[in-house]
Each structure stands twice: as structure tokens, then as C-alpha cells.
Amino acid sequence: MKKFSLKLLSTLTVFSLLLFASCQKTETKVEVKKTEKKVKAPAAKISAPQPSPASTLIQKVGLTDVTVEYSRPGMRGRTIFGDLVPYGKTWRTGANSNTKVTFSSDVSIDGKNVSKGTYALYTVPNKDSWDIMLYSDASNWGNPKKWDETKVVAKTTAQVIPMPVKIETFTITIDDLTNNSGVLGLLWEDVYVGLSFEVPTDKNVMASIEEVMKGEPNASAYYDAAVYFKTANKDVNQAVTWIDKAIEMTRDDPKFYYLRQQSLIHAKAGKKATAIAAAKASLTLAEKAGNSGYIKMNKASLKEWGAE
């Protein structure tokens, strides 16, 4: 009887342990399921157009790269200047973060030197004119929390030019390009204002020419130097010397565009006979090459110079 009781007790103990383990396992599964329910998948990101899309403008002016990064708000039926953009108050000149202007070399604005680098563009629009400023801190979202006049590296006033049509989207351009200057144009609604700036092209080109001429310049170097002197209205006699050297060095493989420039440089120097001879040679080669543009230009010059 005692043995039977012990055996029964042992069986009950084992059964209890198995039942406890089974319950624990069930509770663990339930707990895992509860935990799994708490983990949510990340929300999908919706792709949608921005109301003021970002834009980047890159323009070479002379030898200087000018880059403008800005956001472009639209009119969308609103009155802009004097309303959405109040008169007499500093405007971020675009939307979202700073409009940034980057110069790859030093430039000049209103006679003041502006070191190469990146600047925020701010304006104060008025009905007849705008104040335009370059600000050294370009890390703001819109206007700085506290304006620091010492960070204004250049400031100028530009007259408002009324536009004959409405410009729906705020636009920045770089136009009126020369070797030494350009104009940063701001257009929106029926308003245009322009920021003129100068670049040190002549200084850099002259330094380059001087350095190359110290060595052993090839025909291309003589040609480029001569054309630059002609275009920049520098010493025309020096331009004649260089273009003649380029023609001599390419005598075995003459180029109609080299001869075209020789004719123009000689004409500018008052050497009419040699200008006509060069134009005729250029015309012959252009006809062989089928280049209608140079054919037309040479014929026009020959007629202008009274060639037979």
C-alpha cells in the first residue's frame, strides 16, 4: 500500500510538472503574439510635388562659375509685391531655405570686391526700386532670426523694370553676358530687377597668356591670344603678330576659321590687302568643307572691304 501511494505520488508530481510547463509555453506564445501585435510597419512615404520646387542655375561668366540654388514659389492667383511680399521688408528672395549664390572667383558689385564663396541673397522690394544684399551666412531657413549688418558683404539698389506679361513662377536668370560681367535677374509677377556684377576675366586671361608665351606656345595658343586681344580691344599689332604666327604654323593644314580671324584682325589693324587675301583663302576652304556660316561671313566681309 505504501509502495502504491509513493508510486501514485510520483505520477501526480510528474503530471503537475508537465502541466506547469505546458501552461508556461502557452503563456509565452500568447506573450509573443501580444508583442508581435505592438510592432507596426513604418508608414510608406508619399511622393508628391513641392509647392515651391528647388532649382539650380549654373552659368560661366568669363572664367567664373556662378551657381544659384533657390526654391521657386508660384503666384497661384495671389498678388505678390506689396501683399504676399510686403514693400520695405527683407525678403528671402524665393522660398524655403536661403537663396544661395556661389562665385568661383572674386567678383565686384558696385565697385566693391566680393570674395569667392557662397552667399545668401536677400532683397528689400519697393514699388520703384529694390535693395539687393549678399549675406555671408547662408545657413538660415529664410531670414536670419537676428539680422547682422556686419554680414552684409555687398549692397546695391536696382530699379524696377515693369514686365509686359505676368511671370507665374519666381525666376532667377544670369544674362547680359560679356567676358567681364553679367546680370543676375530676378523676375516674378510683372517685375524685373537686375544685379550687375563684374568678374576678373581680363586679369586672369592676361596672366595666362603671359605664362604660356614664356614657354613654347603652339598654334592654338597664338590663335587664342590673338583672338582675345582682338575681342578685348587690346594691342591690335600684337594680335597681328600672333595670328600670323598661328597661320604660319598651320600652313600644311590650313584652317578656314584661323584664316577668318586673320582677315578680321588685319582689317582692324588697317591692313586691307592682307585682310582680303585671308578672307578669300578662308572662303575657299569653307566652300570645300561645306560650312555655310563661314561662306556667308567671308562673302559679307569681302563685299564690305570692296574686294573684286
Side-chain angles (χ1 to χ4, degrees):
M1 186 70 178
K2 186 177 182 180
K3 289 182 179 179
F4 177 77
S5 299
L6 289 172
K7 187 175 181 180
L8 179 60
L9 181 61
S10 298
T11 301
L12 290 172
T13 301
V14 171
F15 179 76
S16 298
L17 289 172
L18 290 173
L19 181 61
F20 177 75
S22 176
C23 290
Q24 286 291 100
K25 189 174 182 181
T26 302
E27 288 177 1
T28 301
K29 288 182 178 179
V30 172
E31 186 63 31
V32 169
K33 287 182 178 179
K34 288 182 178 178
T35 303
E36 288 176 350
K37 287 182 179 179
K38 292 180 181 179
V39 177
K40 294 183 179 179
K45 185 176 181 180
I46 297 176
S47 297
Q50 297 298 310
S52 300
S55 180
T56 299
L57 167 65
I58 302 174
Q59 176 65 59
K60 186 173 285 294
V61 183
L63 298 177
T64 301
D65 291 320
V66 182
T67 303
V68 182
E69 301 167 85
Y70 71 114
S71 293
R72 306 182 62 190
M75 289 178 62
R76 298 196 291 276
R78 301 174 294 183
T79 298
I80 304 302
F81 298 112
D83 189 356
L84 180 67
V85 178
Y87 288 139
K89 293 186 178 181
T90 302
W91 179 40
R92 70 178 73 185
T93 320
N96 303 326
S97 63
N98 294 151
T99 289
K100 300 178 182 66
V101 182
T102 301
F103 301 107
S104 67
S105 71
D106 294 356
V107 302
S108 176
I109 296 176
D110 258 0
K112 183 176 182 180
N113 183 71
V114 176
S115 300
K116 67 178 182 179
T118 299
Y119 301 94
L121 178 68
Y122 290 110
T123 54
V124 179
N126 290 293
K127 187 174 181 179
D128 298 318
S129 65
W130 288 23
D131 290 334
I132 304 176
M133 299 163 285
L134 292 182
Y135 198 75
S136 62
D137 180 4
S139 62
N140 296 287
W141 184 272
N143 291 349
K145 290 183 179 180
K146 184 178 180 181
W147 184 265
D148 186 349
E149 196 66 28
T150 65
K151 294 181 179 180
V152 177
V153 299
K155 183 175 182 178
T156 189
T157 299
Q159 296 302 307
V160 169
I161 299 175
M163 298 290 291
V165 295
K166 292 289 182 72
I167 307 299
E168 169 65 29
T169 307
F170 176 60
T171 301
I172 297 180
T173 63
I174 301 176
D175 295 310
D176 297 345
L177 302 177
T178 71
N179 285 339
N180 302 296
S181 65
V183 176
L184 188 75
L186 309 175
L187 302 91
W188 202 15
E189 199 175 32
D190 56 355
V191 166
Y192 171 90
V193 294
L195 172 66
S196 299
F197 60 93
E198 296 180 352
V199 293
T201 303
D202 186 65
K203 177 183 176 181
N204 293 335
V205 173
M206 291 303 292
S208 177
I209 290 174
E210 184 179 353
E211 184 64 27
V212 170
M213 292 304 171
K214 287 179 181 177
E216 297 181 0
N218 56 20
S220 179
Y222 282 120
Y223 172 82
D224 290 340
V227 171
Y228 181 73
F229 264 47
K230 182 203 75 174
T231 304
N233 293 317
K234 293 186 177 295
D235 186 347
V236 69
N237 293 320
Q238 181 63 74
V240 168
T241 299
W242 283 335
I243 195 64
D244 288 353
K245 186 67 175 176
I247 295 299
E248 180 185 341
M249 294 176 75
T250 56
R251 190 172 300 279
D252 294 335
D253 182 24
K255 306 179 188 304
F256 57 82
Y257 50 93
Y258 272 38
L259 288 160
R260 170 66 181 167
Q261 289 299 325
Q262 186 186 41
S263 72
L264 296 175
I265 292 170
H266 276 239
K268 192 170 185 176
K271 299 177 180 292
K272 190 174 179 179
T274 50
I276 289 174
K280 287 182 176 179
S282 177
L283 175 60
T284 300
L285 290 174
E287 288 174 337
K288 288 181 180 179
N291 191 302
S292 59
Y294 275 82
I295 292 172
K296 182 178 181 179
M297 288 187 294
N298 280 310
K299 284 184 176 180
S301 293
L302 289 169
K303 182 179 180 180
E304 178 187 345
W305 299 332
E308 297 179 357

